[in-house]
């Protein structure tokens, strides 16, 4: 079975005004012949402008969330179709900041994932345990339950990825050890294999990935790329991670 093509995606979170498009252009200029697919996920307000700025480049543009419904009276929300219309080709779903801050359940993440598929977007579905869950020895059970609950069966045969992001590693500078990452990624791979006949989806690692730790993380077993927050805001840092593959 051939390994899935790695994906390295930057999650800008709620950072970035128009001037930040220069960083995106610098990423596009520096990517070259990367051994991975490379994506940037800016705030919704920049998706259209970034997709125009990066048109013709190797860098893909994604959203950070979408509504499960296609359209309707949902003030402030953005649908998957709207992101696609603005030029996005991917979308991050079920990020822990949304699970924790907005009470997003696995069922809601699955509904959003289905909406993304209908809009032609490639979902990046995030899972990850809290520190308390890890300390209680529940990390594998929590993460595999999130995978089972957040990925609808309609993903079979469609491009998608899963991002393992331990909540305690996001934005903290802390990372699991390589064996800890591999243990969870293997459990996710086994879960995907049980859910889908052919599970070729890359499994990304996310949480305090930096140029200095990227090579070790990206070469760990069953790590098929990275979801990068803070270090994706500066082109030099992000390119350092892409180049570590
Ligand atoms: P971080 O964020 O790289 O800043 O830890 C990762 C993420 O939340 O996707």
């Amino acid at each position: 079975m051939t390994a899935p093509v790695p994906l390295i995606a930057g999650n800008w979170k709620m950072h970035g005004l128009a001037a930040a498009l220069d960083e995106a252009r610098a990423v596009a200029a520096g990517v070259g012949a990367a051994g991975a697919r490379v994506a940037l996920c800016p705030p919704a307000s920049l998706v259209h402008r970034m997709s125009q700025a990066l048109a013709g480049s190797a860098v893909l543009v994604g959203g950070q969330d979408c509504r499960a419904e296609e359209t309707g009276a949902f003030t402030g929300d953005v649908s998957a179709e709207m992101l696609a219309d603005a030029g996005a080709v991917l979308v991050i779903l079920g990020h822990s900041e949304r699970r924790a801050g907005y009470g997003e359940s696995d069922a809601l993440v699955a509904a959003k994932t289905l909406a993304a598929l209908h809009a032609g977007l490639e979902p990046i579905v995030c899972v990850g345990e809290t520190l308390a869950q890890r300390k209680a020895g529940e990390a594998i059970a929590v993460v595999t339950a999130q995978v089972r609950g957040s990925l609808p069966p309609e993903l079979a045969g469609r491009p998608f990825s899963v991002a393992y992001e331990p909540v305690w590693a996001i934005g903290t500078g802390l990372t699991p050890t390589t064996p800890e990452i591999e243990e969870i990624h293997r459990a996710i791979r086994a879960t995907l294999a049980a859910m889908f006949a052919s599970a070729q989806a890359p499994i990304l690692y996310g949480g305090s990935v930096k140029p200095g730790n990227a090579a070790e993380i990206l070469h760990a077993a069953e790590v098929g790329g990275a979801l990068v927050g803070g270090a994706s805001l500066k082109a030099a840092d992000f390119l350092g991670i892409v180049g570590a593959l």
Side-chain angles (χ1 to χ4, degrees):
M1 207 158 74
T2 53
V5 179
L7 171 65
I8 300 190
N11 172 12
W12 279 15
K13 308 192 180 185
M14 200 174 75
H15 300 283
L17 303 176
L21 293 172
D22 286 344
E23 295 297 326
R25 289 189 192 92
V27 169
V31 154
R37 297 194 302 147
V38 177
L40 286 173
C41 303
S45 54
L46 281 184
V47 165
H48 187 238
R49 279 175 286 176
M50 187 181 285
S51 64
Q52 288 186 320
L54 300 184
S57 85
V59 180
L60 308 169
V61 176
Q64 299 175 8
D65 176 48
C66 71
R67 182 91 195 180
E69 290 81 359
E70 279 178 28
T71 186
F74 304 111
T75 302
D77 284 349
V78 176
S79 73
E81 190 180 23
M82 289 167 185
L83 289 174
D85 186 49
V89 296
L90 302 125
V91 63
I92 297 166
L93 295 169
H95 191 281
S96 67
E97 287 154 14
R98 297 209 57 90
R99 288 180 185 263
Y102 297 86
E104 293 196 2
S105 63
D106 291 340
L108 180 61
V109 176
K112 291 182 173 200
T113 303
L114 196 54
L117 285 182
H118 286 154
L121 295 178
E122 178 180 331
I124 302 171
V125 179
C126 302
V127 296
E129 83 285 0
T130 64
L131 190 57
Q133 289 166 333
R134 173 159 286 272
K135 284 184 170 162
E138 296 167 355
I140 288 182
V142 166
V143 167
T144 55
Q146 286 176 331
V147 170
R148 279 193 296 274
S150 304
L151 300 180
E154 290 83 353
L155 282 173
R158 303 285 298 271
F160 70 97
S161 56
V162 173
Y164 168 55
E165 298 204 303
V167 176
W168 51 274
I170 295 175
T172 58
L174 303 171
T175 51
T177 64
T178 298
E180 285 171 339
I181 293 173
E182 291 179 334
E183 180 183 39
I184 300 284
H185 279 235
R186 285 198 176 100
I188 294 173
R189 177 60 70 208
T191 306
L192 291 178
M195 293 173 71
F196 304 103
S198 164
Q200 280 293 285
I203 303 170
L204 318 184
Y205 169 78
S208 297
V209 179
K210 299 182 273 286
N213 63 17
E216 178 166 355
I217 291 171
L218 290 171
H219 292 112
E222 289 295 355
V223 173
L227 184 55
V228 184
S232 71
L233 295 172
K234 289 280 169 246
D237 290 344
F238 192 56
L239 288 170
I241 292 167
V242 172
L245 196 68

